[in-house]
Amino acid sequence: MPQATLPQTEPDTESQGSFRTEVLVRFADCDPAGMVFYPRYMEMFNNLVEDWCAEGLRLSFAELHGRRGWGLPTVHLDADFVAPSFLGELLSATITLRHLGTSSISLAIRLDGPTGDERVRGNVVLVLMDLRSKQAVPIPRDIEARIHGYFAAR
């Protein structure tokens, strides 16, 4: 089994058009066989979106939810489980912008194993919503500019 190391905390700035980071497969992620239990990948996806917002867009969930009163719920999610991941592995994670709508953000997410082999790929659609009214709201221009600017700079 590979030696466990802590994941990177900084996004990879060398890749074009994507947010890259690493995810350590933890004990809590695994079933008794030592493989990632498939629902944990959905938690990893959500954590990756939160990291991208904080590190890539400089908009933490604390700012988004707490101070601005917005939510960013997942309204669509699909995933293909290509190969198992195991306790202690360090997975390479990539988020790519697929589409930016008026209120929605569509992202492709991919997790690769330590040797670059594909483990999981999925698509996530998020919608910006007002937490009080529980209604979708247009993505403000400054946030839209951050999203486009982040992916264009990569």
Side-chain angles (χ1 to χ4, degrees):
M1 187 174 299
Q3 180 73 18
T5 58
L6 293 177
Q8 290 179 311
T9 56
E10 292 297 317
D12 176 353
T13 57
E14 294 179 3
S15 60
Q16 293 295 319
S18 61
F19 171 81
R20 292 184 179 268
T21 192
E22 293 179 322
V23 176
L24 177 64
V25 176
R26 298 177 182 278
F27 181 76
D29 297 324
C30 296
D31 61 19
M35 295 184 285
V36 173
F37 181 46
Y38 74 93
R40 299 294 183 246
Y41 284 119
M42 304 308 100
E43 293 174 357
M44 290 177 190
F45 281 16
N46 190 70
N47 291 342
L48 289 166
V49 167
E50 187 172 349
D51 291 347
W52 168 64
C53 285
E55 297 170 25
L57 302 181
R58 304 290 182 222
L59 182 64
S60 70
F61 270 28
E63 168 75 18
L64 187 76
H65 292 82
R67 291 186 273 290
R68 296 197 185 203
W70 296 331
L72 198 60
T74 298
V75 298
H76 176 81
L77 174 65
D78 65 62
D80 293 310
F81 305 99
V82 179
S85 298
F86 299 93
L87 178 62
E89 287 185 320
L90 196 58
L91 306 178
S92 297
T94 305
I95 293 178
T96 306
L97 180 65
R98 296 184 66 220
H99 177 74
L100 185 59
T102 302
S103 300
S104 65
I105 305 167
S106 178
L107 302 168
I109 298 178
R110 179 175 162 143
L111 297 173
D112 293 329
T115 61
D117 57 312
E118 186 177 28
R119 301 296 178 80
V120 179
R121 65 177 166 264
N123 297 296
V124 177
V125 179
L126 310 164
V127 170
L128 187 66
M129 69 176 270
D130 180 281
L131 291 176
R132 280 174 246 121
S133 70
K134 307 292 189 252
Q135 297 295 313
V137 295
I139 298 169
R141 290 192 187 270
D142 68 313
I143 306 289
E144 183 180 327
R146 287 186 206 184
I147 293 169
H148 282 300
Y150 180 83
F151 288 111
R154 306 261 154 329

